[in-house]
Amino acid sequence: MTDRRRRLAAEFFAAIVICLAFVAPVNAGGEQKARVRADRALRDGDFENAEKMYRELLAKDTRDKDARLGLSFALLKQRHLQDAYDQAARVIFADPLSARAHALLGATILASGDFQNSVEEFRTALSLHENESLAIAGLAMVDFYENRMEEAVKGLRRATSLDSDEPDYLFNLGQASARNERYKEAADAYERFLLIAPKTDAERRARIRGLIDFLRYLVNQGQLYSLTGTKTSLPFELTDGRPLLKVRVNGGKEFLRFVLDTGSGMSVISEETAKKLGLHPVARGGLARAVGGGGKFEIVYGFLSSLELGDMKVASVPVYIRHFYDRSTPVDGYLGLSVISKLIASVDYGERTFTLQRQSSADYSEAPRTFASALAGTIPSGIVEIPVRTTSSGFLSGEVRLEGIDKPLNFIVDTGASVSVVSEKLVAEEELTSYIAPVRMRVYGAAGIADDVKTVVLPKVMLGNTAREQITAAVLDMEPVNETAGFTQSGILGGNFLGHYRISFDFKRGLIKLEPLKITAKTSNNLQPM
């Protein structure tokens, strides 16, 4: 009886072992299939489902490093930056030598606008794995934002060659190539992007198709922004805190009214003025998100044969054609950065003069190669010299400090905005609600009109080592801007801040210079930021 029991026990134990041998691979196989599904969802642009699947994998095994890295990337794609950061940081805590985790940490930090720490993480990633494509692309985007175009294009080409299935690398290569006036390469990159990018975002794809058509058109137009003249100075009206210039278009004798708009990469002309000039769209496609109205407007591209500013002439100027909603201050267009980016531009709010001057070869040779070197430059007495970056969408962005907030914030430097702006998110996160003022305002945006907009009165706003107190700012949703900016913008410096200075824009060196006015220019109480 005892022998029989022993034999039965042995047979039972053997059966259990056999069952476990079959069960374990089934579980492992199930987890592997779940990971494959999560990875596929990530590639297909179904980021919410990818996030859900990665979280389910982590619920079963919190030590699953690959699932946590996938989760971090899915969160980054959705711009859930804090959560993406936390997931990557947890991997680094467990595995400090994970190059991918350091690259993801760098990417989330860069998207939040912290350049110095992002660069450190990207370099750490590359020291661990020299072909970590996300780190290579990240450093290239730092070059892009800081106007080192050759380095940006080179880095993004390398990232694309290392990971040809990542659509963001191609999209960024298209942006950098276009900024570097390589329009064919830009169009080709966007074409390749459409081939591999998820087909989930129809609006974005429509925008890119329209952009490709426009870039193909530009390829056949010869040299863009061709300059005639060396220097010019012209007066401007200061209307609602915005410099309003008189310009001539397409060789016409009539002066048109254009707002100087450093908050726009490309120039814009109104639908009404375009009709008067017989200016027809050369390409169109998709909707862009913006402030006001329904939150979207159609993207329509046009092309000017010339634009004259005083004694200077700029030939072959791409423009947007757009409906203008502000009827209280009629304007014909907005003069964007691309028209003046090859010049040194000065705006004297005191004398109300706008000056343009060609840059000499010495200006180019002295150009700082990094943002940090610009900070370390020698500054003449009485003048504040501040390094600026350029967002993906072509806006100038500078680091601003607000009283009560320890970290620097990125603000768009926008001569085309009547009043400054802070983001709704910043007001909520930094508890700025105590600064909310009883005054409400109407905001004219690219997509329409926003009424009853809240305002705050900021105790102190600092740009470099210059500061202004009691600055009124509109509280707006900046997400439409941040979706395309590349790195988070927390606000806008408008005319009620900039109007206290004589400002010079040195685009090639990535600098602006502020000289305080002895007599502050008067600004309008009619606050219209956009």
Side-chain angles (χ1 to χ4, degrees), residues 228-242:
T228 303
T230 304
K231 183 178 180 179
T232 191
S233 185
L234 57 157
F236 62 77
E237 298 175 36
L238 194 64
T239 305
D240 297 330
R242 304 178 299 173

Side-chain angles (χ1 to χ4, degrees), residues 197-267:
K199 295 178 173 56
T200 52
D201 192 341
E203 281 191 1
R204 188 187 189 196
R205 295 179 71 85
R207 288 196 300 270
I208 293 171
R209 288 192 194 96
L211 178 56
I212 291 169
D213 291 341
F214 186 49
L215 290 167
R216 299 290 187 208
Y217 173 85
L218 295 182
V219 169
N220 298 317
Q221 303 310 308
Q223 179 67 42
L224 302 185
Y225 305 111
S226 178
L227 295 170
T228 303
T230 304
K231 183 178 180 179
T232 191
S233 185
L234 57 157
F236 62 77
E237 298 175 36
L238 194 64
T239 305
D240 297 330
R242 304 178 299 173
L244 194 57
L245 303 165
K246 290 183 177 180
V247 305
R248 290 190 176 99
V249 168
N250 291 350
K253 295 182 179 180
E254 180 186 356
F255 282 109
L256 301 179
R257 292 157 56 88
F258 271 58
V259 174
L260 176 64
D261 188 5
T262 58
S264 177
M266 206 159 79
S267 296

Side-chain angles (χ1 to χ4, degrees), residues 146-164:
E146 296 185 352
N147 301 305
R148 296 183 293 274
M149 289 299 107
E150 290 292 339
E151 292 92 331
V153 170
K154 182 179 178 181
L156 289 166
R157 284 174 181 163
R158 185 180 172 210
T160 301
S161 68
L162 289 169
D163 186 356
S164 58

Side-chain angles (χ1 to χ4, degrees), residues 277-461:
L277 295 172
L279 184 66
H280 301 290
V282 298
R284 66 199 314 152
L287 300 173
R289 289 190 65 197
V291 173
K296 296 179 182 179
F297 65 94
E298 185 185 11
I299 301 171
V300 181
Y301 300 98
F303 193 81
L304 303 179
S305 60
S306 67
L307 194 152
E308 295 176 55
L309 295 151
D311 297 326
M312 296 198 79
K313 181 177 179 179
V314 186
S316 302
V317 179
V319 295
Y320 293 115
I321 301 173
R322 206 177 70 203
H323 180 73
F324 291 176
Y325 290 91
D326 183 5
R327 295 294 181 183
S328 62
T329 309
V331 298
D332 296 294
Y334 290 81
L335 189 71
L337 288 176
S338 55
V339 171
I340 59 176
S341 62
K342 296 179 180 179
L343 303 162
I344 294 177
S346 299
V347 184
D348 189 329
Y349 282 92
E351 297 295 328
R352 299 191 181 183
T353 57
F354 178 56
T355 303
L356 291 171
Q357 184 173 353
R358 281 182 183 264
Q359 290 180 304
S360 66
S361 57
D363 293 325
Y364 286 94
S365 63
E366 293 172 4
R369 300 306 299 155
T370 66
F371 197 78
S373 64
L375 283 168
T378 303
I379 303 171
S381 177
I383 296 177
V384 180
E385 195 170 82
I386 299 155
V388 290
R389 300 182 175 98
T390 308
T391 69
S392 293
S393 41
F395 306 147
L396 282 185
S397 175
E399 290 187 357
V400 168
R401 290 187 178 273
L402 301 182
E403 187 175 275
I405 300 177
D406 294 333
K407 63 182 180 181
L409 305 166
N410 295 300
F411 272 51
I412 295 167
V413 180
D414 189 359
T415 58
S418 300
V419 69
S420 299
V421 172
V422 291
S423 71
E424 292 176 345
K425 188 175 182 180
L426 181 69
V427 170
E429 289 181 350
E430 299 295 340
E431 299 182 355
L432 300 181
T433 51
S434 60
Y435 299 150
I436 290 178
V439 177
R440 301 293 177 101
M441 69 173 65
R442 166 175 282 195
V443 173
Y444 294 92
I449 301 170
D451 285 309
D452 201 32
V453 174
K454 292 179 181 178
T455 63
V456 294
V457 177
L458 301 172
K460 193 174 186 180
V461 179

